[in-house]
Amino acid sequence: MMHGPCGSARKSSPCMHNGRCTKHFPKKFVENTTIDEDGYPVYKRRDNGRTIQKEGIELDNRYVVPHNRYLLLKYDAHINVEWCNQSRSIKYLFKYVNKGHDRVTTAFSQSVHEEDSSAIDEIKMYYDCQYISTCEAAWRIFKFPIQHREPSVERLSFHLPNEQTIIFSDDVPIDHVANRPSVKESKFLSWFEANNTYEEARELTYAEFPLKFVWNKKLKKWEKRRNSAFSIGRIFFVPPGSGEQYYLRMLLNVIKGPKCYEDLRRINNHDHLTFRDACYAMGLLDDDKEYVDAIKEASNWGMSSYLR
């Protein structure tokens, strides 16, 4: 798994463009793996004098391609392995896997003699085709599943009182928007209504709600699940600096079956003015637990050196 030779040693290498390697080789010698400003890893590369000859040129650790020795031996192939720690990288990989077939542009042409004045319809001869490899063709012939995702994830939005998101066009009068019946409808407010209607709903937190209930987009209401399928609820992330929204999210992870905003602020039969006060009353903010949980949550996507 050595890149090159390229650079000044071999300027005719396919990776060279304008006198520089497009893969940014050779890398620099680094004593420890670190994270750069953009969040990408800079791998450890020791300057221990070890080299290998490739096409008569000595290559050192600066030319080593990131890899996993176990995978190389298992599959007997060149496999580039990179450490992925960013959400946008994960999104890219997910999009790449599900991007569909490779496409091929084909054109049919014919030789035309000077005495032949017949017009050639280039548009008719142009074809935009999909290319399916032999292994994928066999996979489809045997009707094997192409992709599968389980379980499904239900995104759970929430908002402060009278601060739900409303979508409208610029040319619609604001009075019509404010008087629209759908203004008072949202997934979060419908959760309050479901807690009023269904007794078993009061045994679930907001995140647990999709386990036994399903959101009806047409009717904009929660309904009981009629089959054994279920979804995992994911409450929208809110940074700690968002104020009351952040404390409301903390309460939603703990309190079960509230029927209104007042129920979320009612702790031990005592009504509190703010969600922050309710969090204090529940003991969620008496110590450093709030900050410890925030660091643990951030540790899922950032290294310790980056968090520091």
Side-chain angles (χ1 to χ4, degrees):
M1 294 297 292
M2 301 294 292
H3 178 82
C6 63
S8 57
R10 187 184 177 190
K11 297 182 179 180
S12 60
S13 178
C15 64
M16 296 295 292
H17 181 69
N18 293 332
R20 301 186 64 180
C21 176
T22 56
K23 308 300 181 183
H24 307 291
F25 281 92
K27 307 290 187 178
K28 296 180 180 179
F29 286 119
V30 180
E31 289 297 327
N32 297 293
T33 300
T34 57
I35 308 298
D36 62 12
E37 296 179 354
D38 297 326
Y40 289 97
V42 180
Y43 299 112
K44 174 174 65 176
R45 296 175 184 273
R46 293 194 183 101
D47 186 7
N48 53 12
R50 297 181 62 181
T51 60
I52 187 175
Q53 267 202 358
K54 188 176 181 181
E55 300 181 13
I57 300 175
E58 296 284 342
L59 301 178
D60 52 24
N61 283 334
R62 295 176 298 172
Y63 290 89
V64 176
V65 178
H67 61 275
N68 182 287
R69 289 180 292 179
Y70 173 78
L71 294 179
L72 298 182
L73 292 173
K74 180 177 177 63
Y75 296 103
D76 191 21
H78 291 270
I79 303 175
N80 181 16
V81 178
E82 291 281 352
W83 178 55
C84 176
N85 73 320
Q86 288 190 325
S87 59
R88 59 182 178 181
S89 301
I90 298 173
K91 289 179 181 179
Y92 168 77
L93 293 174
F94 187 81
K95 180 180 178 181
Y96 187 84
V97 171
N98 297 276
K99 69 181 180 63
H101 309 289
D102 295 330
R103 305 193 73 84
V104 178
T105 300
T106 61
F108 298 91
S109 60
Q110 59 182 358
S111 59
V112 181
H113 300 286
E114 295 182 357
E115 63 270 17
D116 189 0
S117 60
S118 60
I120 300 175
D121 190 348
E122 296 182 358
I123 299 178
K124 186 177 181 180
M125 292 190 303
Y126 173 86
Y127 291 92
D128 183 14
C129 306
Q130 288 184 346
Y131 170 77
I132 299 180
S133 62
T134 53
C135 57
E136 186 176 358
W139 196 271
R140 290 176 175 271
I141 290 174
F142 288 111
K143 297 182 179 180
F144 293 151
I146 301 300
Q147 60 176 334
H148 180 70
R149 183 173 59 186
E150 184 182 3
S152 60
V153 178
E154 182 75 31
R155 301 181 68 197
L156 301 175
S157 60
F158 69 98
H159 53 82
L160 295 174
N162 299 322
E163 292 188 12
Q164 55 265 41
T165 302
I166 301 173
I167 301 176
F168 58 92
S169 303
D170 293 339
D171 55 351
V172 178
I174 193 63
D175 293 337
H176 294 177
V177 176
N179 295 327
R180 188 185 303 169
S182 60
V183 169
K184 298 182 180 180
E185 297 175 352
S186 71
K187 186 179 293 187
F188 186 57
L189 295 178
S190 297
W191 176 55
F192 288 149
E193 297 178 2
N195 290 332
N196 268 313
T197 305
Y198 305 104
E199 185 176 352
E200 58 270 31
R202 301 163 197 167
E203 303 297 325
L204 304 171
T205 62
Y206 192 32
E208 298 170 344
F209 209 67
L211 295 174
K212 296 185 178 181
F213 291 82
V214 62
W215 173 250
N216 190 321
K217 294 182 179 180
K218 292 183 178 180
L219 301 178
K220 292 187 176 182
K221 60 183 296 187
W222 290 97
E223 297 179 344
K224 284 186 179 180
R225 287 192 176 274
R226 300 178 182 177
N227 50 39
S228 58
F230 68 95
S231 297
I232 295 177
R234 178 185 176 274
I235 304 178
F236 281 15
F237 172 76
V238 174
S242 300
E244 283 292 276
Q245 269 192 324
Y246 177 73
Y247 299 112
L248 173 59
R249 187 179 187 274
M250 293 185 66
L251 294 173
L252 294 178
N253 288 318
V254 179
I255 298 179
K256 299 180 179 181
K259 302 175 183 178
C260 58
Y261 284 101
E262 288 73 16
D263 289 348
L264 291 170
R265 294 196 297 262
R266 185 176 296 113
I267 308 299
N268 296 327
N269 294 326
H270 179 73
D271 294 334
H272 297 273
L273 295 178
T274 63
F275 297 113
R276 184 173 183 269
D277 294 339
C279 289
Y280 269 113
M282 292 194 68
L284 301 178
L285 303 178
D286 284 342
D287 49 20
D288 293 337
K289 184 177 183 300
E290 172 189 4
Y291 308 101
V292 172
D293 290 343
I295 293 175
K296 287 182 177 179
E297 184 175 2
S299 67
N300 294 326
W301 56 265
M303 294 294 292
S304 56
S305 57
Y306 176 77
L307 296 180
R308 287 195 296 267

